[in-house]
Amino acid sequence: MSADAETPRPVTRIQREKQELILEAALDVFSQHGFRGSTIDQIAEAAGMSKPNLLYYFKSKEDIHAPLLARILDTWLDPLRDLDADGDPLPEIQSYIRRKLEMSRDFPRESRLFANEMLRGAPGFHDVLHTELKNLVDEKAAVIRGWMAEGKIAKCDPYHLIFSIWATTQHYADFDIQVRAVLGRERSGEGRFEDAARFLDQLFLHGLSPAKKA
Amino acid sequence: MSADAETPRPVTRIQREKQELILEAALDVFSQHGFRGSTIDQIAEAAGMSKPNLLYYFKSKEDIHAPLLARILDTWLDPLRDLDADGDPLPEIQSYIRRKLEMSRDFPRESRLFANEMLRGAPGFHDVLHTELKNLVDEKAAVIRGWMAEGKIAKCDPYHLIFSIWATTQHYADFDIQVRAVLGRERSGEGRFEDAARFLDQLFLHGLSPAKKA
DNA sequence: CTAGAATTTTTCCAATCGGTCAAAAAAAAT
DNA sequence: ATTTTTTTTGACCGATTGGAAAAATTCTAG
């Protein structure tokens, strides 16, 4: 018997399903209230079980939160990983933007959980940001810089370019309520994501300068 | 004697100062942990006083939080209010971006408090978003559309333009930790805001299309 | 100096928090 | 059917929470 007093490693299919159910409920709660603002009771109720029962599957609040974060960061960076150095620069960036926007549309809770963690100062997350994340961004920034050197794209700071893509796309998940309020009832349908996609295409491709017919 | 059992309206100069001291401390705490994740004890300690003493000045947690939010939304929108329909479009927008960026640099806690509130779904804030905020944005969106009609600026959705300015500028306050991690030790000085300003100028003015010498 | 008001501290409370434990119940294995 | 294992429940614990009450202190005016 190992000395590890941990959550029963998922043997049964049922166990895995229950754990998934709990993580799903926890995502709901954590993404709204943050880690400290969420309670185990809340999560348990959202998952339709009692608190001790939930604690049978995850032995602490942290143990529910941590795997959520880990999983999310990973899928969150997938679109950036797929940025292809051998592709056409502008279409590559364009499709990166589109994929990030789709993630904000399809996984807003994940985006908000991530944002909550950043606002807290990302405790117990620092290392990942400075290694995994930084390495990936460094790599892709180099790719982008390569495109600039070839004259295929306007010269600019690739890091801030990536930041601006993150910011503009995630905004539609994290500030959803504000966006809906400002757009009003009529324009708050799912169509707002298509409008956003159109706008971001134009912004990143041409900016605001009036079209020159030179 | 009014029936309102409220916090002693600030008569003394000392009272006003203490209240300000508390709000300052509360801003620190709330901006990091959100409303539910913050405790009165934390705030009291940050303000250098005991919890009951703090409760002498503000009778509840909500009573500390609410005025902070109200004040922030107001100053937060100042730059947009100043967007001048009679000014030159591109410089107007450029200086709006710059001011928003400066606010992220100089008042990051305010930005984070606001972000925290949005993530929660902005309870007890809905009305303000749908009236004050929406009205202002509608007004300024009309101004921008006017500029487009005159051909002084490229045609695009003015609402999403405003969203993208909010997103890109506030990102440097709300995701500060991520930004620092990615930029690395060397580039995490205050200079990053100048880099950001340069980049955003280019993004919004010209986008990423390679400079045409047509 | 002294009465009165303003401020601060001490003590306390009920509710909620994260989490434990043993017993009950349900499933699975024999 | 019965034993064994897994899952669920109910009762409970110490710590922390938001907040009240009242005593103790400090400040201020006369």
Side-chain angles (χ1 to χ4, degrees):
Chain A
M1 202 124 300
S2 111
D4 244 63
E6 53 180 29
T7 306
R9 32 203 154 342
V11 177
T12 328
R13 179 185 48 91
I14 290 185
Q15 280 177 342
R16 223 187 301 270
E17 282 178 3
K18 286 261 177 175
Q19 289 192 351
E20 209 48 51
L21 178 75
I22 292 170
L23 288 176
E24 172 69 16
L27 180 55
D28 258 347
V29 178
F30 280 138
S31 66
Q32 272 189 50
H33 305 290
F35 181 75
R36 286 212 46 185
S38 303
T39 74
I40 299 184
D41 281 295
Q42 264 181 299
I43 299 171
E45 193 192 332
M49 62 179 69
S50 66
K51 177 170 61 170
N53 195 8
L54 181 149
L55 285 168
Y56 171 73
Y57 290 101
F58 293 90
K59 67 169 190 172
S60 78
K61 198 175 162 184
E62 273 272 348
D63 276 13
I64 316 173
H65 194 247
L68 272 180
L69 268 185
R71 182 191 305 188
I72 284 168
L73 178 66
D74 214 55
T75 58
W76 223 238
L77 291 177
D78 272 343
L80 184 55
R81 281 196 201 91
D82 293 348
L83 197 73
D84 183 8
D86 298 327
D88 267 350
L90 285 180
E92 277 300 318
I93 292 175
Q94 196 171 345
S95 91
Y96 175 52
I97 293 171
R98 192 142 301 178
R99 281 190 62 188
K100 282 288 290 173
L101 195 57
E102 281 163 4
M103 293 189 73
S104 275
R105 181 193 60 195
D106 299 334
F107 308 105
R109 296 173 306 168
E110 283 82 348
S111 183
R112 280 187 276 249
L113 181 77
F114 191 74
N116 255 308
E117 203 56 18
M118 289 296 135
L119 286 174
R120 278 209 303 163
F125 214 57
H126 259 102
D127 40 340
V128 190
L129 296 184
H130 281 87
T131 57
E132 270 195 59
L133 177 66
K134 175 160 172 46
N135 289 341
L136 177 63
V137 176
D138 280 344
E139 178 194 328
K140 295 306 182 179
V143 167
I144 294 174
R145 226 192 286 276
W147 289 338
M148 293 175 187
E150 295 174 38
K152 296 189 165 181
I153 211 183
K155 278 193 178 113
C156 68
D157 189 316
Y159 290 91
H160 290 279
L161 170 57
I162 291 173
F163 292 154
S164 69
I165 293 174
W166 288 347
T168 49
T169 54
Q170 292 173 6
H171 187 81
Y172 290 96
D174 303 342
F175 289 71
D176 180 61
I177 286 191
Q178 197 186 36
V179 168
R180 284 171 183 271
V182 168
L183 289 183
R185 230 82 63 205
E186 332 80 57
R187 292 189 62 198
S188 280
E190 287 300 290
R192 70 186 187 280
F193 284 100
E194 288 164 36
D195 293 344
R198 244 190 309 279
F199 169 80
L200 292 179
D201 275 353
Q202 179 181 340
L203 173 63
F204 282 93
L205 292 188
H206 310 297
L208 295 175
S209 287
K212 315 165 191 155
K213 316 205 158 185
Chain B
M1 200 128 301
S2 110
D4 244 67
E6 52 179 31
T7 305
R9 28 202 156 340
V11 176
T12 329
R13 178 185 50 90
I14 289 186
Q15 280 178 340
R16 223 185 302 268
E17 282 178 2
K18 287 260 177 179
Q19 289 193 351
E20 209 49 49
L21 178 75
I22 292 170
L23 289 175
E24 173 69 17
L27 181 54
D28 257 346
V29 178
F30 281 138
S31 66
Q32 271 189 49
H33 307 290
F35 181 75
R36 288 211 43 186
S38 303
T39 73
I40 299 183
D41 280 296
Q42 265 180 300
I43 298 170
E45 193 192 330
M49 64 178 69
S50 66
K51 177 170 63 172
N53 194 11
L54 181 148
L55 284 168
Y56 171 73
Y57 290 101
F58 293 89
K59 67 169 188 167
S60 77
K61 198 173 160 185
E62 273 271 348
D63 275 12
I64 316 173
H65 194 248
L68 272 179
L69 268 185
R71 182 191 306 188
I72 284 169
L73 179 65
D74 215 54
T75 58
W76 223 238
L77 291 178
D78 272 343
L80 184 55
R81 280 195 201 92
D82 293 347
L83 197 74
D84 183 8
D86 297 328
D88 266 349
L90 285 181
E92 276 301 318
I93 292 176
Q94 194 171 345
S95 92
Y96 174 51
I97 293 172
R98 191 141 303 178
R99 280 188 63 188
K100 282 288 290 172
L101 195 56
E102 281 163 4
M103 294 188 72
S104 275
R105 181 193 59 194
D106 299 334
F107 308 105
R109 296 174 306 170
E110 282 81 348
S111 182
R112 274 176 228 146
L113 182 77
F114 191 74
N116 255 308
E117 203 56 18
M118 288 297 135
L119 286 175
R120 279 210 302 164
F125 214 58
H126 259 101
D127 39 341
V128 189
L129 296 184
H130 281 87
T131 56
E132 271 195 58
L133 177 67
K134 176 161 172 46
N135 289 341
L136 177 63
V137 176
D138 280 345
E139 178 194 330
K140 296 305 181 179
V143 168
I144 293 173
R145 227 192 285 275
W147 289 338
M148 293 176 187
E150 295 174 38
K152 297 189 168 182
I153 211 183
K155 278 193 179 109
C156 68
D157 188 314
Y159 290 92
H160 291 279
L161 170 58
I162 291 174
F163 292 154
S164 70
I165 294 175
W166 288 348
T168 50
T169 54
Q170 292 173 7
H171 187 81
Y172 290 96
D174 303 342
F175 288 72
D176 180 60
I177 287 193
Q178 198 186 36
V179 168
R180 285 173 183 271
V182 168
L183 289 183
R185 231 80 65 205
E186 332 80 57
R187 294 188 61 197
S188 281
E190 287 301 290
R192 69 185 188 281
F193 284 101
E194 289 163 36
D195 293 344
R198 244 190 309 278
F199 170 80
L200 291 179
D201 275 354
Q202 179 181 340
L203 174 63
F204 283 93
L205 291 189
H206 309 297
L208 295 177
S209 287
K212 315 167 190 153
K213 315 207 156 182

